[in-house]
Amino acid sequence: MIYIGSDHRGYNLKEYLKDYLSKAKIPFKDVGNHKFDPEDDYPDFAFKVAQEVAKDSANTGVMICGSGLGMAAAANKVKGIRAGLAVSEWFAKHGRENDDLNVVAIASDATDFSMAEKILKTFLSAKFIGSDKYARRVKKIEEVEKTWK
């Protein structure tokens, strides 16, 4: 399942991406915000996406805020999450193939609808390469996570 969430700055882009996912018949769940609220806070939605993705390794997450940076930082506090900012198709592909990202953050202030759709398509179609060096690096992240409280 794909979990998608945004704060107010990413709300319009999230709605656009939901329309794309619906038309492409790709199952997703919107974890909020479900209305435009200029007083909402990005960590609330980053945590919702991350917590859902962390429940099952088959899940994927998409988060949208103004810069994408805050959401990525917040989501990475959830055990099992590897979130990264993608500002182009190359970042989306690289993050999936080399870093085994399971959540992508998109910067609504710097990404138009067309590019965001390309980023999402690329992220969803790319797969972790899993060769020795990439698997070794992801394992190091997972080992550090085991030491967290």
Side-chain angles (χ1 to χ4, degrees):
M1 176 65 68
I2 298 164
Y3 291 90
I4 187 168
S6 74
D7 69 356
H8 59 283
R9 285 174 57 197
Y11 182 80
N12 290 332
L13 183 53
K14 178 185 66 139
E15 293 302 304
Y16 174 84
L17 292 174
K18 283 171 42 181
D19 187 56
Y20 158 73
L21 291 168
S22 291
K23 287 178 180 172
K25 298 185 184 337
I26 299 170
F28 69 91
K29 181 172 181 189
D30 180 354
V31 299
N33 201 342
H34 299 291
K35 62 182 172 53
F36 180 82
D37 177 3
E39 297 300 316
D40 64 14
D41 297 316
Y42 70 83
D44 298 333
F45 308 104
F47 292 139
K48 285 181 181 182
V49 169
Q51 288 164 345
E52 291 298 330
V53 172
K55 289 178 184 178
D56 185 336
S57 63
N59 293 341
T60 303
V62 182
M63 308 176 301
I64 307 115
C65 68
S67 70
L69 296 167
M71 282 200 155
N76 280 317
K77 299 298 181 187
V78 175
K79 187 176 182 178
I81 296 303
R82 289 175 304 284
L85 174 66
V87 295
S88 70
E89 295 164 90
W90 183 88
F91 279 85
K93 185 174 193 239
H94 182 87
R96 276 291 247 206
E97 290 182 349
N98 298 330
D99 304 316
D100 198 21
L101 294 185
N102 52 11
V103 177
V104 65
I106 300 174
S108 64
D109 291 357
T111 310
D112 65 27
F113 286 8
S114 174
M115 179 52 70
E117 185 177 320
K118 290 175 186 174
I119 289 168
L120 182 56
K121 281 182 187 177
T122 301
F123 187 76
L124 295 177
S125 66
K127 301 294 180 221
F128 182 49
I129 292 172
S131 65
D132 288 345
K133 73 176 178 178
Y134 300 121
R136 180 181 71 243
R137 293 167 184 170
V138 170
K139 184 174 169 116
K140 286 181 179 187
I141 295 168
E142 293 169 344
E143 289 300 317
V144 168
E145 280 183 334
K146 290 178 185 176
T147 67
W148 294 355
K149 293 182 182 181

